[in-house]
Amino acid sequence: MLELPAIPKKFITKVLALEERNKQEVQLAFMARALVIATLPHSKPDDFYYERQNGRYTLSMTANPKFGLPYGSIARMLLSWITTEAVSKKSPEINLGKSFTSFLKKLKLQHGGGKRGNTTRVREQMKRLLTCKISCVYEDKTKGIFEGDQFCISRSFKLWWSPIEPSKKEFSENSKIILSGDFFDELIKNPIPINFDSLNILRQSSLQIDIYVWLTYRFFSLRKEILIPWKNLKKQFGSDYAEYANDSTQSTRNFKKKFLQALKKVWLVYPAANVCPIDKGLMLYPSDTHVKTVKIKYNAPVDNLSYPR
């Protein structure tokens, strides 16, 4: 077994605080299934096209060249917040409010300027997320199946967060996003329940977020044990890292080490996840879901919704 670095005490303290909060109330959130089966880039892509594969499922994203592709933990938290708003309010119109500071609080992020500050990063990732095009394709050549969905996340948006006068903090009009019909349909039909506080604790690593959400998704339907080879996991979770691009044994070993480092922290947040790393891959056993199964009552056909102008 690989020797992994110890988990920082600060992280353990956050996990213990989360456990106490969860005894009172779990902050239920959701993630879009289409972007859980295969996920966003971890780091800033060099290209305007991105592809990730999970078995017979392929996710591809095409960016607006002016803004680029969404990536990292901030993009994932934004996506979860947007999904949660759409599912809970059953509406494609997402209101972000008049204050950027208050919006950051909704994401549990502190206001901070500069190139690496949360203010700059959230604005950048929001632009990237709302202007990219997404393709989800499932192909099973043995059964002759080829199907998929194509969508943009937003149909339209207005973000009043860049005042002409730097001192002006409030606006007369709310910032808002109108989700595209296809994406809203996907959210309503297939939301994946998660704990947003858990997402927040794991936000220092987008790989940690991906593993947590993926395990949550798998355990909703897993009825018997399954082995997932390390090469398959590398293709699913590490395909956008140059050092994992080849099929060499060393490349897989390096990925395995990084994956287990992230899994170690996910285990603390989600201790009910019954998984066992072995030489051949990761064994998954039927486990309790991290949040209770949520039934979404929604009967109105999406095509009949009245979209705001």
Side-chain angles (χ1 to χ4, degrees), residues 24-188:
Q24 304 298 322
E25 183 180 6
V26 174
Q27 187 173 359
L28 181 65
F30 298 91
M31 189 67 91
R33 186 187 66 165
L35 298 172
V36 170
I37 302 174
T39 58
L40 306 179
H42 289 150
S43 55
K44 187 175 182 179
D46 295 327
D47 201 355
F48 299 117
Y49 175 79
Y50 166 82
E51 184 176 293
R52 177 164 281 178
Q53 188 173 349
N54 180 357
R56 297 184 178 94
Y57 178 86
T58 302
L59 167 75
S60 60
M61 305 177 71
T62 306
N64 180 317
K66 184 175 181 179
F67 304 111
L69 288 163
Y71 65 93
S73 59
I74 293 293
R76 286 159 170 78
M77 294 184 71
L78 282 169
L79 186 60
S80 176
W81 187 85
I82 290 171
T83 303
T84 303
E85 287 290 295
V87 172
S88 61
K89 296 179 180 177
K90 301 179 178 63
S91 170
E93 181 172 356
I94 310 296
N95 287 305
L96 284 71
K98 299 178 181 179
S99 166
F100 190 71
T101 301
S102 64
F103 179 67
L104 287 176
K105 289 180 180 178
K106 293 177 183 178
L107 295 174
K108 298 185 179 294
L109 296 174
Q110 295 181 345
H111 190 283
K115 186 176 181 180
R116 297 300 303 163
N118 287 331
T119 303
T120 303
R121 294 167 66 203
V122 169
R123 282 175 173 157
E124 178 188 0
Q125 293 303 322
M126 184 71 84
K127 291 177 181 178
R128 291 169 176 259
L129 198 62
L130 298 180
T131 57
C132 73
K133 296 179 180 179
I134 300 172
S135 172
C136 307
V137 174
Y138 177 85
E139 183 176 17
D140 187 340
K141 295 180 180 179
T142 60
K143 296 181 179 179
I145 298 174
F146 184 72
E147 60 182 355
D149 289 307
Q150 321 288 323
F151 56 83
C152 294
I153 289 178
S154 66
R155 194 196 75 176
S156 63
F157 50 86
K158 287 185 178 180
L159 305 181
W160 300 92
W161 288 341
S162 299
I164 296 175
E165 299 178 11
S167 61
K168 188 175 181 181
K169 297 181 180 180
E170 300 295 331
F171 301 89
S172 60
E173 187 173 353
N174 282 338
S175 293
K176 65 180 180 180
I177 302 167
I178 308 299
L179 301 179
S180 69
D182 291 336
F183 183 62
F184 180 63
D185 192 11
E186 162 67 17
L187 301 186
I188 293 299

Side-chain angles (χ1 to χ4, degrees), residues 126-309:
M126 184 71 84
K127 291 177 181 178
R128 291 169 176 259
L129 198 62
L130 298 180
T131 57
C132 73
K133 296 179 180 179
I134 300 172
S135 172
C136 307
V137 174
Y138 177 85
E139 183 176 17
D140 187 340
K141 295 180 180 179
T142 60
K143 296 181 179 179
I145 298 174
F146 184 72
E147 60 182 355
D149 289 307
Q150 321 288 323
F151 56 83
C152 294
I153 289 178
S154 66
R155 194 196 75 176
S156 63
F157 50 86
K158 287 185 178 180
L159 305 181
W160 300 92
W161 288 341
S162 299
I164 296 175
E165 299 178 11
S167 61
K168 188 175 181 181
K169 297 181 180 180
E170 300 295 331
F171 301 89
S172 60
E173 187 173 353
N174 282 338
S175 293
K176 65 180 180 180
I177 302 167
I178 308 299
L179 301 179
S180 69
D182 291 336
F183 183 62
F184 180 63
D185 192 11
E186 162 67 17
L187 301 186
I188 293 299
K189 289 181 178 179
N190 303 300
I192 306 300
I194 58 173
N195 184 323
F196 193 79
D197 284 327
S198 297
L199 213 67
N200 186 46
I201 287 179
L202 298 169
R203 75 170 188 259
Q204 296 304 319
S205 164
S206 55
L207 178 58
Q208 292 172 187
I209 290 177
D210 287 348
I211 294 173
Y212 164 70
V213 177
W214 173 70
L215 287 177
T216 303
Y217 163 69
R218 289 303 302 258
F219 288 136
F220 270 104
S221 58
L222 191 65
R223 297 294 177 263
K224 62 180 181 179
E225 65 185 55
I226 183 174
L227 171 64
I228 304 178
W230 290 114
K231 286 187 177 181
N232 291 20
L233 289 169
K234 185 178 72 169
K235 185 178 292 185
Q236 180 181 350
F237 290 99
S239 59
D240 56 328
Y241 291 102
E243 62 266 37
Y244 308 140
N246 59 64
D247 293 328
S248 69
T249 302
Q250 184 60 46
S251 172
T252 301
R253 188 181 293 116
N254 291 342
F255 167 78
K256 179 181 177 181
K257 182 177 181 179
K258 189 177 184 70
F259 184 93
L260 291 177
Q261 287 172 350
L263 178 62
K264 192 175 180 181
K265 290 188 176 181
V266 174
W267 251 329
L268 285 179
V269 172
Y270 186 4
N274 191 3
V275 303
C276 180
I278 62 176
D279 289 340
K280 293 182 178 180
L282 189 69
M283 290 292 302
L284 303 186
Y285 300 91
S287 306
D288 291 335
T289 56
H290 193 233
V291 297
K292 293 181 179 180
T293 302
V294 178
K295 293 183 178 179
I296 307 299
K297 295 182 179 179
Y298 191 76
N299 300 319
V302 175
D303 290 343
N304 293 337
L305 288 173
S306 177
Y307 276 78
R309 294 292 181 185

